[in-house]
Amino acid sequence: MLEIVDLHKRFAPDKPVLQGVSLALAREEILCLLGPSGCGKSTLLRVIAGLETPDRGEVRLNGVAINGLPAHRRGIGLMFQDYALFPHLDVAGNVGYGLRMQGMAAAERRARVDAMLALVNLQGYARRAVDELSGGEQQRVALARTLAPNPALLLLDEPVANLDRLLREELVQELRHILKTLHVTAIFVTHDQEEAFALADRIAVMQAGRIIQVDAPPQLYRRPANTFVAGFLGFRNLLPITATPGERQVCTAAGAFILPAAPPGPLAPGARLLIPPDAAVLDVQSPGPTYVSFSGRVTATTFRGSVFQLQVAPATEEVGCQLSFEFRNRGRDRLPTIGETVLLWLDTAQMIVVTADV
Amino acid sequence: MQRLPIGALYALPLIFLAVFYLYPLLAILRVSMGSGDFLAQAATALTSAAFWRLLWFTTWQAALSTLLTVLAGLPLAYIFARFDFPGKRVLHALLTIPFVMPTVVVATAFMALIGRTGLLNEWLQRLLALDSPPIQLEQTIWLILIVHVFYNVAIIIRTVGGFWSNLNQHLNEAAAVLGATPWQVWRTVTLPLLLPSILAASLLVFLFCFTSFGVILILGGPRFATIEVEIYRQAVSYFNLPLAAFLSIVQLGLTFSVMVVYTRLQARLSRTLRQRRPVRSQPPRAWRQWALVIAALLVTAVGLLAPLAALVVRSFTLGDQGSTLRYYQALTENPRQSAFFAPPITAVANSLTYALATLAISLPLGVISAYMLAQPRSRTAVILDPLLLLPLGTSAVTLGFGYIVAMGPLRASPWLTPIAHALIALPFVVRTFLPARRALDQRLQMAAATLGAAPWQRWWTIDAPLLTRALAISAAFAFAISLGEFGATLLVARPDRPTMPMVIYQALGRPGLLNYGQALAMSTILMVVTAAALLAIERFRLPGEEEF
């Protein structure tokens, strides 16, 4: 229902913010724009909302180009990161603002406001002043206000970034529930990959004004398009490939591995081998045919409750090469100590070759 | 080492205010009550048409001036708040000019620009070959209104503009994406949020115009009088002290009511400001925005500078001899060769002496007051806070009049003038210094201590840098206020030690080109001296800590 075609935007001649962004969104889909700060994701959102004019390119809503349409006539909702609640209006005044602008009658408006407040679990808050609310309550009011006029498309700019961690996880689940119940089509912006995984149907990763990869969360995690995406998703073990003696064989500082499946096409220079942190098992004898043994010296340990992490340097003593792995704790009393040599089994089926970041 | 008697130090501002502010006001009350029958006096005044005419004129000219000032100031406030353009800082600095320029100088400057013999009239006459000057504003209400707008537009621009630039831009955008047209955004979001600041600034402008003195006295001629001017006339020209006292009390009552509303609004403003995050102003983008900004820039710069430039030009070119220094030379001569009259130029020394004495009085008192007010649970602060605001709402003429009736033998003391100036400057000193004092977060001291700074090092590296700037700004303000003070000075200064504004006023009142030229020359000197103090203010001003 939303199509973005080759958007370009620069704030200054030497400051390009969007460099040819194209994107399509299906009805009732929740898309997440994921990327580091300054990658242009918020600007893209503002262009779609009509708050910024693109230098080039087109935004189409249901097949109609809306470039020339001012923000107030687009029927696109935008929730701001700082919520931007009107401080001179109470909760009901905020939630009913869009309805008032539509010219909805007062009685009808009140009913709709109450329904929206019920939806976000804020029954009885109608007469509260917005600056008396907690951060989580303000976030809900902002959501109710954005949803009230029933926008064709909902845009959310870092919707939970201003909240503390526990509240964030709770609200992300609730947000997805609400959006799916109302069959809303939505784009939201975040720099937190866990938030994106939890909320989105599809994720578009942005870097320096370009969309690098668009995929559903599991595919994105399994097959990051390049080393930037892999790095941004939190993968640490990205080993430069030094040689490819056989079709399925790759050599790295941590050793040579024979991959079960051949990488598609010839390897571009700068390609790296990605070993996911959960691709290793400890204290088990040959867990499966795709596993290879790996002996290394522990250089750091981190205990995280149900899991723990080990940083391991290959026993071959390659300078500067470190791998980090995560293991289920499974009632373990003590962790390997630093300096200790451990025997790991690495699953080559989980390893992939990632092309270089451009 | 024995500790300083802090309590005694803190009593100083209270004693000063009691003796030199409350006591004179009470004396006025006594004069109006004591001279026979106060009620009869009040009844006579209240039934006279002249009194009601006076009150009506004072009120409507102030209201109209305020309205015009707001209308002129809001677009400029918007441009200052929203756009970043070359020369913005300079223009912002220029805006302080009218704020500290003496009324006498501004009035004279406007006469030099658009008066009957003003520069503009002269040019237009020559250009269009006219027999009479085309601009006939002298002694009309229009000239008064124009000067009031010139004087006060900076208050609107700075107060409302400062508030505007702190408004979260997302609020407007949120309204727009919720379907509000630009006009609806302005009406339902921007205006309601700005309204308290517009009201507060308007009230201050109204207060200043309501008690307008020098402008009306010099530009209005005998036709126009505010209550303030009438108090002066009754007290000095007709020596009708009871009527002057009655008018003072009426004016005090009215100005205090406005003050109360103003302080309430101020408190509300600082509360709503807390939750805002400033948004960076942006350079204009579309050509229409550029046109708007450039037009506003030109109008502001020309409006601010043209009268002052005309004053300088006129002081050198008045008469038919082309460029001349004779008016400046005349200032150094003693026309009557009399032992009782010093050459007018000595007024420069008098004014500077008074200004330094004003600093000597108002700075220590202001600093002590600020320290007192900054203490969290001080009982004296509760008394001092409103007491310090009162002089701001008390007209200068009333104060001077109070000194005349209250000070007895002290009336002839040369100290009375700087004392009056210090009293008028004190609220400004405190308001400028207090935010800096409050900004001295205790945690900074603690942080410095944990980083190994000894007590004196903490004072030297943290308190001193933060406070000296504020102190310098306060001093510049007090200095400028003293230089330009006119209303109280006219009543309390000794005739043998006139200040620059007094000399200008007297010269304006005498006929002849030479006298007028001297007024222009002296105004130019006063302007230059004040501008020097002004430059100091702009050098030291910290962003975002203006309370006026």
Side-chain angles (χ1 to χ4, degrees), chain A residues 36-357:
Chain A
S37 57
C39 72
K41 53 195 194 308
S42 289
T43 305
L44 178 56
L45 219 56
R46 291 169 61 83
V47 168
I48 299 171
L51 297 173
E52 302 279 357
T53 6
D55 300 335
R56 192 141 63 81
E58 210 168 62
V59 180
R60 291 190 208 128
L61 195 61
N62 295 322
V64 184
I66 55 168
N67 276 31
L69 215 57
H72 64 273
R73 286 172 49 202
R74 290 197 178 189
I76 293 177
L78 170 59
M79 189 175 138
F80 291 85
Q81 180 178 0
D82 59 5
Y83 314 137
L85 297 179
F86 304 127
H88 60 299
L89 300 177
D90 59 14
V91 169
N94 268 281
V95 176
Y97 186 89
L99 307 172
R100 209 171 104 207
M101 293 302 121
Q102 292 176 350
M104 186 186 277
E108 199 185 340
R109 202 162 74 213
R110 210 169 303 130
R112 173 95 178 136
V113 166
D114 286 342
M116 292 323 292
L117 288 179
L119 181 74
V120 296
N121 268 322
L122 286 178
Q123 294 97 330
Y125 275 65
R127 291 289 149 235
R128 295 276 200 96
V130 290
D131 53 0
E132 290 170 6
L133 305 179
S134 71
E137 288 164 347
Q138 288 187 353
Q139 195 255 12
R140 287 155 191 264
V141 173
L143 181 64
R145 181 179 75 177
T146 316
L147 288 172
N150 206 4
L153 172 66
L154 183 67
L155 308 173
L156 305 108
D157 192 357
E158 306 253 0
V160 293
N162 284 0
L163 305 171
D164 55 54
R165 180 141 209 107
L166 270 177
L167 197 58
R168 204 148 69 195
E169 282 170 16
E170 189 188 314
L171 279 172
V172 162
Q173 286 184 3
E174 202 181 315
L175 199 57
R176 182 167 168 92
H177 177 74
I178 290 174
L179 296 185
K180 284 298 170 192
T181 320
L182 295 180
H183 305 289
V184 176
T185 313
I187 301 180
F188 77 100
V189 153
T190 183
H191 60 265
D192 182 321
Q193 80 272 12
E194 284 182 26
E195 210 176 291
F197 287 150
L199 244 168
D201 297 325
R202 276 195 308 156
I203 296 173
V205 183
M206 281 188 79
Q207 181 199 9
R210 291 193 179 84
I211 290 182
I212 308 290
Q213 184 176 10
V214 188
D215 255 322
Q219 278 87 332
L220 183 74
Y221 187 79
R222 188 73 190 90
R223 302 231 161 260
N226 64 20
T227 49
F228 168 80
V229 177
F232 195 73
L233 292 176
F235 290 111
R236 293 281 162 271
N237 306 329
L238 288 161
L239 305 170
I241 294 172
T242 49
T244 50
E247 199 193 339
R248 295 187 288 127
Q249 194 176 23
V250 291
C251 295
T252 68
F257 300 99
I258 296 171
L259 305 181
L267 279 184
R272 287 171 184 237
L273 181 70
L274 188 162
I275 310 175
D278 50 352
V281 286
L282 184 65
D283 301 339
V284 184
Q285 282 304 312
S286 190
T290 56
Y291 283 81
V292 294
S293 70
F294 174 87
S295 127
R297 192 168 43 81
V298 176
T299 54
T301 67
T302 315
F303 181 68
R304 290 196 191 280
S306 63
V307 296
F308 67 93
Q309 289 163 334
L310 293 184
Q311 216 170 56
V312 186
T316 48
E317 285 298 334
E318 275 290 340
V319 182
C321 174
Q322 300 250 347
L323 296 174
S324 69
F325 295 107
E326 194 171 278
F327 305 94
R328 309 278 316 149
N329 203 22
R330 297 209 173 101
R332 183 187 293 268
D333 278 338
R334 68 168 276 283
L335 301 184
T337 52
I338 292 173
E340 192 180 326
T341 301
V342 287
L343 181 70
L344 305 177
W345 291 88
L346 305 183
D347 186 1
T348 53
Q350 292 191 46
M351 298 179 188
I352 53 167
V353 173
V354 180
T355 56
D357 167 22

Side-chain angles (χ1 to χ4, degrees), chain B residues 102-105 107-108 111 213-222 224 229 232-233 236-237 331 344 347 397 484-487 489-491 498-511 515-516 518-523 526:
Chain B
T103 46
V104 184
V105 170
T108 320
M111 272 162 72
F213 179 66
V215 174
I216 309 262
L217 194 66
I218 293 170
L219 296 178
F224 299 107
V229 170
Y232 169 71
R233 285 192 185 142
V236 173
S237 309
L331 287 178
V397 170
E485 211 293 319
F486 182 51
T489 314
L490 213 49
L491 285 142
T499 64
M500 286 192 267
M502 281 169 76
V503 168
I504 296 166
Y505 176 60
Q506 284 156 6
L508 283 175
R510 285 194 292 267
N515 280 317
Y516 182 50
Q518 285 190 56
L520 292 176
M522 186 58 102
S523 291
L526 179 51

